[in-house]
Amino acid sequence: MPFRKPDDEGARPTDVTETLVARGTAGTVAVAWDADQAVTALYSANYRSLVRLAAMLVRDVGTAEEVVQDAFVAMHGGWRRLRDPDKALSYLRQAVVNRSRSVLRHRAVVEKYAPKGLPDAPSAEAGAIGELERSAVVAALHRLPARQREALVLRYYADLSEAEIAQTMGISRGAVKSHTARGMAALRNVLEQFS
């Protein structure tokens, strides 16, 4: 059905059906509404359902309202170019879906190129305490006999296996185990004295 002007020029239709298509008598001539009347009628009848549609797509009511408002503004601006005014609601739905897709694409691009948060930097106190602990460990290592110190450094700093340590130091694997165990015990004792 084509849009018709209401019979009474001053009265606004109140029924949903009358809002989109005003009832007329058999002798009424079909006259296309101007953009203001048509978009106002479409807005009052379909705004909420279009916002619900957009909200389902963009997952945000505020953004959905903006999308629908933009679609109505575009519809109003292009009303004269509308080929079939009877399909105005279909055009609006399509505009809402297309604008919702644009919002989602924009979000994806923003998220993709958003600056990554900096990792949490340790506080100055944590850095100072860490430095004290490292210096205490280094000082304690210097107090150990050479073989124990070598075994511990090769094991925990160079991350070598017992076989690789034995080969590097030119001793047996049993001697490596012995030097490592004694060095750890002595290191533990020295560090307990510092704290």
Side-chain angles (χ1 to χ4, degrees), residues 15-44:
D15 185 270
V16 173
T17 307
E18 290 176 343
T19 302
L20 290 176
V21 179
R23 291 184 188 165
T25 60
T28 306
V29 177
V31 178
W33 288 6
D34 69 349
D36 291 340
Q37 291 173 324
V39 173
T40 300
L42 284 167
Y43 184 89
S44 62

mmCIF file of all heavy atoms in Angstrom, residues 15-44:
data_model
loop_
_atom_site.group_PDB
_atom_site.id
_atom_site.type_symbol
_atom_site.label_atom_id
_atom_site.label_comp_id
_atom_site.label_asym_id
_atom_site.label_seq_id
_atom_site.Cartn_x
_atom_site.Cartn_y
_atom_site.Cartn_z
ATOM 1 N N ASP A 15 -2.960 4.809 15.705
ATOM 2 C CA ASP A 15 -2.844 3.369 15.538
ATOM 3 C C ASP A 15 -1.566 3.047 14.767
ATOM 4 O O ASP A 15 -1.165 3.788 13.890
ATOM 5 C CB ASP A 15 -4.080 2.871 14.762
ATOM 6 C CG ASP A 15 -4.090 1.367 14.657
ATOM 7 O OD1 ASP A 15 -3.520 0.854 13.679
ATOM 8 O OD2 ASP A 15 -4.659 0.729 15.558
ATOM 9 N N VAL A 16 -0.911 1.909 15.121
ATOM 10 C CA VAL A 16 0.331 1.545 14.445
ATOM 11 C C VAL A 16 0.110 1.388 12.954
ATOM 12 O O VAL A 16 0.896 1.860 12.147
ATOM 13 C CB VAL A 16 0.913 0.239 15.046
ATOM 14 C CG1 VAL A 16 2.101 -0.233 14.241
ATOM 15 C CG2 VAL A 16 1.292 0.457 16.490
ATOM 16 N N THR A 17 -0.958 0.759 12.579
ATOM 17 C CA THR A 17 -1.254 0.586 11.157
ATOM 18 C C THR A 17 -1.483 1.942 10.504
ATOM 19 O O THR A 17 -1.021 2.208 9.405
ATOM 20 C CB THR A 17 -2.500 -0.295 10.964
ATOM 21 O OG1 THR A 17 -2.311 -1.494 11.687
ATOM 22 C CG2 THR A 17 -2.731 -0.599 9.504
ATOM 23 N N GLU A 18 -2.210 2.806 11.203
ATOM 24 C CA GLU A 18 -2.477 4.125 10.652
ATOM 25 C C GLU A 18 -1.214 4.973 10.594
ATOM 26 O O GLU A 18 -1.109 5.884 9.793
ATOM 27 C CB GLU A 18 -3.524 4.848 11.497
ATOM 28 C CG GLU A 18 -4.899 4.256 11.363
ATOM 29 C CD GLU A 18 -5.895 4.929 12.284
ATOM 30 O OE1 GLU A 18 -5.487 5.604 13.233
ATOM 31 O OE2 GLU A 18 -7.090 4.766 12.031
ATOM 32 N N THR A 19 -0.263 4.669 11.465
ATOM 33 C CA THR A 19 0.967 5.443 11.477
ATOM 34 C C THR A 19 1.727 5.245 10.177
ATOM 35 O O THR A 19 2.240 6.194 9.599
ATOM 36 C CB THR A 19 1.867 5.022 12.659
ATOM 37 O OG1 THR A 19 1.131 5.200 13.855
ATOM 38 C CG2 THR A 19 3.118 5.861 12.709
ATOM 39 N N LEU A 20 1.841 3.995 9.732
ATOM 40 C CA LEU A 20 2.564 3.734 8.505
ATOM 41 C C LEU A 20 1.728 4.058 7.273
ATOM 42 O O LEU A 20 2.223 4.579 6.296
ATOM 43 C CB LEU A 20 3.022 2.278 8.451
ATOM 44 C CG LEU A 20 4.124 1.929 9.433
ATOM 45 C CD1 LEU A 20 4.425 0.449 9.369
ATOM 46 C CD2 LEU A 20 5.372 2.722 9.127
ATOM 47 N N VAL A 21 0.485 3.709 7.321
ATOM 48 C CA VAL A 21 -0.389 3.962 6.181
ATOM 49 C C VAL A 21 -1.696 4.527 6.724
ATOM 50 O O VAL A 21 -2.417 3.831 7.422
ATOM 51 C CB VAL A 21 -0.677 2.664 5.380
ATOM 52 C CG1 VAL A 21 -1.607 2.950 4.228
ATOM 53 C CG2 VAL A 21 0.613 2.058 4.904
ATOM 54 N N ALA A 22 -1.950 5.763 6.451
ATOM 55 C CA ALA A 22 -3.166 6.394 6.961
ATOM 56 C C ALA A 22 -4.371 5.841 6.214
ATOM 57 O O ALA A 22 -4.326 5.636 5.004
ATOM 58 C CB ALA A 22 -3.082 7.906 6.794
ATOM 59 N N ARG A 23 -5.427 5.605 6.960
ATOM 60 C CA ARG A 23 -6.642 5.083 6.324
ATOM 61 C C ARG A 23 -7.334 6.194 5.545
ATOM 62 O O ARG A 23 -7.387 7.335 5.984
ATOM 63 C CB ARG A 23 -7.590 4.542 7.384
ATOM 64 C CG ARG A 23 -7.077 3.298 8.042
ATOM 65 C CD ARG A 23 -8.104 2.776 9.010
ATOM 66 N NE ARG A 23 -7.515 1.686 9.777
ATOM 67 C CZ ARG A 23 -8.035 1.206 10.868
ATOM 68 N NH1 ARG A 23 -9.153 1.697 11.343
ATOM 69 N NH2 ARG A 23 -7.451 0.223 11.494
ATOM 70 N N GLY A 24 -7.807 5.826 4.460
ATOM 71 C CA GLY A 24 -8.519 6.819 3.651
ATOM 72 C C GLY A 24 -9.816 6.231 3.125
ATOM 73 O O GLY A 24 -10.043 5.038 3.191
ATOM 74 N N THR A 25 -10.648 7.072 2.600
ATOM 75 C CA THR A 25 -11.891 6.593 2.012
ATOM 76 C C THR A 25 -11.607 6.125 0.600
ATOM 77 O O THR A 25 -10.527 6.324 0.070
ATOM 78 C CB THR A 25 -12.941 7.730 1.978
ATOM 79 O OG1 THR A 25 -12.412 8.792 1.198
ATOM 80 C CG2 THR A 25 -13.262 8.215 3.367
ATOM 81 N N ALA A 26 -12.569 5.522 -0.013
ATOM 82 C CA ALA A 26 -12.371 4.967 -1.352
ATOM 83 C C ALA A 26 -12.017 6.046 -2.362
ATOM 84 O O ALA A 26 -11.325 5.780 -3.325
ATOM 85 C CB ALA A 26 -13.620 4.218 -1.800
ATOM 86 N N GLY A 27 -12.451 7.276 -2.138
ATOM 87 C CA GLY A 27 -12.201 8.334 -3.097
ATOM 88 C C GLY A 27 -10.888 9.077 -2.851
ATOM 89 O O GLY A 27 -10.580 10.015 -3.562
ATOM 90 N N THR A 28 -10.100 8.670 -1.850
ATOM 91 C CA THR A 28 -8.867 9.384 -1.525
ATOM 92 C C THR A 28 -7.803 9.081 -2.569
ATOM 93 O O THR A 28 -7.614 7.946 -2.972
ATOM 94 C CB THR A 28 -8.335 8.965 -0.145
ATOM 95 O OG1 THR A 28 -9.364 9.144 0.802
ATOM 96 C CG2 THR A 28 -7.131 9.788 0.242
ATOM 97 N N VAL A 29 -7.100 10.096 -2.987
ATOM 98 C CA VAL A 29 -6.031 9.941 -3.960
ATOM 99 C C VAL A 29 -4.733 9.711 -3.190
ATOM 100 O O VAL A 29 -4.456 10.386 -2.210
ATOM 101 C CB VAL A 29 -5.908 11.208 -4.837
ATOM 102 C CG1 VAL A 29 -4.754 11.081 -5.810
ATOM 103 C CG2 VAL A 29 -7.222 11.464 -5.539
ATOM 104 N N ALA A 30 -3.911 8.758 -3.631
ATOM 105 C CA ALA A 30 -2.644 8.469 -2.969
ATOM 106 C C ALA A 30 -1.674 9.618 -3.194
ATOM 107 O O ALA A 30 -1.430 10.024 -4.320
ATOM 108 C CB ALA A 30 -2.034 7.190 -3.520
ATOM 109 N N VAL A 31 -1.174 10.159 -2.107
ATOM 110 C CA VAL A 31 -0.212 11.250 -2.174
ATOM 111 C C VAL A 31 0.989 10.853 -1.319
ATOM 112 O O VAL A 31 0.816 10.465 -0.172
ATOM 113 C CB VAL A 31 -0.815 12.566 -1.620
ATOM 114 C CG1 VAL A 31 0.215 13.676 -1.661
ATOM 115 C CG2 VAL A 31 -2.062 12.933 -2.395
ATOM 116 N N ALA A 32 2.173 10.933 -1.872
ATOM 117 C CA ALA A 32 3.371 10.561 -1.122
ATOM 118 C C ALA A 32 3.621 11.583 -0.026
ATOM 119 O O ALA A 32 3.536 12.777 -0.259
ATOM 120 C CB ALA A 32 4.571 10.486 -2.063
ATOM 121 N N TRP A 33 3.898 11.105 1.171
ATOM 122 C CA TRP A 33 4.197 11.993 2.290
ATOM 123 C C TRP A 33 5.537 12.652 2.049
ATOM 124 O O TRP A 33 6.404 12.121 1.371
ATOM 125 C CB TRP A 33 4.296 11.214 3.585
ATOM 126 C CG TRP A 33 2.989 10.708 4.114
ATOM 127 C CD1 TRP A 33 1.775 10.766 3.509
ATOM 128 C CD2 TRP A 33 2.802 10.054 5.355
ATOM 129 N NE1 TRP A 33 0.828 10.183 4.291
ATOM 130 C CE2 TRP A 33 1.435 9.742 5.444
ATOM 131 C CE3 TRP A 33 3.620 9.705 6.403
ATOM 132 C CZ2 TRP A 33 0.891 9.103 6.541
ATOM 133 C CZ3 TRP A 33 3.082 9.070 7.495
ATOM 134 C CH2 TRP A 33 1.729 8.774 7.563
ATOM 135 N N ASP A 34 5.731 13.788 2.679
ATOM 136 C CA ASP A 34 7.062 14.380 2.603
ATOM 137 C C ASP A 34 7.968 13.650 3.607
ATOM 138 O O ASP A 34 7.511 12.838 4.417
ATOM 139 C CB ASP A 34 7.011 15.885 2.841
ATOM 140 C CG ASP A 34 6.663 16.261 4.275
ATOM 141 O OD1 ASP A 34 6.260 15.373 5.047
ATOM 142 O OD2 ASP A 34 6.803 17.441 4.629
ATOM 143 N N ALA A 35 9.237 13.923 3.539
ATOM 144 C CA ALA A 35 10.223 13.189 4.343
ATOM 145 C C ALA A 35 9.946 13.331 5.829
ATOM 146 O O ALA A 35 10.048 12.355 6.583
ATOM 147 C CB ALA A 35 11.636 13.672 4.010
ATOM 148 N N ASP A 36 9.601 14.517 6.296
ATOM 149 C CA ASP A 36 9.371 14.725 7.731
ATOM 150 C C ASP A 36 8.245 13.842 8.248
ATOM 151 O O ASP A 36 8.387 13.157 9.264
ATOM 152 C CB ASP A 36 9.026 16.200 8.013
ATOM 153 C CG ASP A 36 10.213 17.123 7.807
ATOM 154 O OD1 ASP A 36 11.364 16.630 7.824
ATOM 155 O OD2 ASP A 36 9.994 18.332 7.631
ATOM 156 N N GLN A 37 7.115 13.850 7.542
ATOM 157 C CA GLN A 37 5.973 13.053 7.986
ATOM 158 C C GLN A 37 6.278 11.563 7.927
ATOM 159 O O GLN A 37 5.973 10.815 8.859
ATOM 160 C CB GLN A 37 4.750 13.359 7.122
ATOM 161 C CG GLN A 37 4.202 14.744 7.333
ATOM 162 C CD GLN A 37 3.106 15.045 6.333
ATOM 163 O OE1 GLN A 37 3.175 14.612 5.183
ATOM 164 N NE2 GLN A 37 2.095 15.793 6.776
ATOM 165 N N ALA A 38 6.873 11.126 6.842
ATOM 166 C CA ALA A 38 7.121 9.694 6.667
ATOM 167 C C ALA A 38 8.127 9.172 7.690
ATOM 168 O O ALA A 38 7.902 8.136 8.324
ATOM 169 C CB ALA A 38 7.635 9.429 5.257
ATOM 170 N N VAL A 39 9.228 9.897 7.860
ATOM 171 C CA VAL A 39 10.246 9.421 8.801
ATOM 172 C C VAL A 39 9.732 9.511 10.231
ATOM 173 O O VAL A 39 10.013 8.636 11.055
ATOM 174 C CB VAL A 39 11.578 10.199 8.606
ATOM 175 C CG1 VAL A 39 12.579 9.852 9.673
ATOM 176 C CG2 VAL A 39 12.150 9.891 7.225
ATOM 177 N N THR A 40 8.947 10.523 10.541
ATOM 178 C CA THR A 40 8.362 10.624 11.878
ATOM 179 C C THR A 40 7.450 9.435 12.156
ATOM 180 O O THR A 40 7.479 8.845 13.241
ATOM 181 C CB THR A 40 7.579 11.944 12.030
ATOM 182 O OG1 THR A 40 8.481 13.027 11.830
ATOM 183 C CG2 THR A 40 6.959 12.060 13.404
ATOM 184 N N ALA A 41 6.617 9.095 11.171
ATOM 185 C CA ALA A 41 5.714 7.952 11.337
ATOM 186 C C ALA A 41 6.492 6.653 11.485
ATOM 187 O O ALA A 41 6.209 5.823 12.363
ATOM 188 C CB ALA A 41 4.768 7.863 10.149
ATOM 189 N N LEU A 42 7.520 6.471 10.663
ATOM 190 C CA LEU A 42 8.352 5.269 10.766
ATOM 191 C C LEU A 42 9.072 5.220 12.111
ATOM 192 O O LEU A 42 9.181 4.164 12.745
ATOM 193 C CB LEU A 42 9.369 5.229 9.626
ATOM 194 C CG LEU A 42 8.839 4.846 8.262
ATOM 195 C CD1 LEU A 42 9.867 5.157 7.184
ATOM 196 C CD2 LEU A 42 8.483 3.369 8.250
ATOM 197 N N TYR A 43 9.559 6.355 12.551
ATOM 198 C CA TYR A 43 10.292 6.435 13.814
ATOM 199 C C TYR A 43 9.404 6.033 14.991
ATOM 200 O O TYR A 43 9.781 5.203 15.809
ATOM 201 C CB TYR A 43 10.816 7.858 14.013
ATOM 202 C CG TYR A 43 11.673 8.032 15.231
ATOM 203 C CD1 TYR A 43 13.042 7.823 15.176
ATOM 204 C CD2 TYR A 43 11.123 8.403 16.451
ATOM 205 C CE1 TYR A 43 13.844 7.988 16.296
ATOM 206 C CE2 TYR A 43 11.905 8.564 17.569
ATOM 207 C CZ TYR A 43 13.263 8.360 17.493
ATOM 208 O OH TYR A 43 14.041 8.514 18.604
ATOM 209 N N SER A 44 8.203 6.622 15.045
ATOM 210 C CA SER A 44 7.332 6.337 16.181
ATOM 211 C C SER A 44 6.871 4.878 16.193
ATOM 212 O O SER A 44 6.658 4.301 17.253
ATOM 213 C CB SER A 44 6.130 7.274 16.190
ATOM 214 O OG SER A 44 5.348 7.082 15.032
#
